[in-house]
Amino acid sequence: MPQRNINFSETQNGFIARMIQDGIYSNASELVRAAMRQFQENHERREMEWAQYLRAVGEKALEAVKRGEGTDITDPEDRQRVFDEIRERALESLERNEL
């Protein structure tokens, strides 16, 4: 199994020691692997949520264009401003868990 050298704060180290002492984990490696699994699952779920959100936004935008409600943005600076605004609104929605 690959090895890494990880430095923990005193607080984190104390937590690890308590988890081992309480018998929740056998050793620090087991605890870190469990934490990494949880982190990875959360990260992957967040990425899927982000992709679903962007897909939904894109579909709504296409529907608006089909209804003739769209605007053609040819200026690259204007286009970037619109993309930045969409990104900011999407991030705000994600933070409010409005997926």
Side-chain angles (χ1 to χ4, degrees):
M1 195 177 299
Q3 292 185 339
R4 300 271 183 203
N5 182 25
I6 303 172
N7 298 311
F8 295 103
S9 69
E10 289 298 322
T11 303
Q12 292 166 332
N13 193 53
F15 176 76
I16 292 168
R18 283 192 312 278
M19 295 292 105
I20 294 167
Q21 183 179 17
D22 292 347
I24 298 170
Y25 295 96
S26 301
N27 54 52
S29 293
E30 185 182 317
L31 182 146
V32 171
R33 282 193 302 273
M36 285 301 302
R37 275 192 303 275
Q38 181 70 39
F39 177 79
Q40 185 176 4
E41 289 169 6
N42 289 343
H43 181 74
E44 290 171 355
R45 184 182 69 249
R46 195 75 162 159
E47 283 184 335
M48 286 179 54
E49 290 171 349
W50 179 248
Q52 290 171 345
Y53 180 82
L54 291 178
R55 191 174 302 111
V57 167
E59 288 173 1
K60 286 181 181 180
L62 286 174
E63 290 170 8
V65 169
K66 288 177 183 177
R67 291 189 305 266
E69 298 171 2
T71 302
D72 190 11
I73 303 173
T74 56
D75 180 10
E77 289 180 15
D78 288 341
R79 190 177 311 136
Q80 188 60 51
R81 260 193 301 280
V82 169
F83 289 152
D84 290 344
E85 182 181 338
I86 291 169
R87 182 179 188 279
E88 185 64 32
R89 289 162 85 185
L91 290 172
E92 289 172 2
S93 292
L94 281 172
E95 288 174 5
R96 291 189 307 264
N97 293 318
E98 293 180 353
L99 292 176

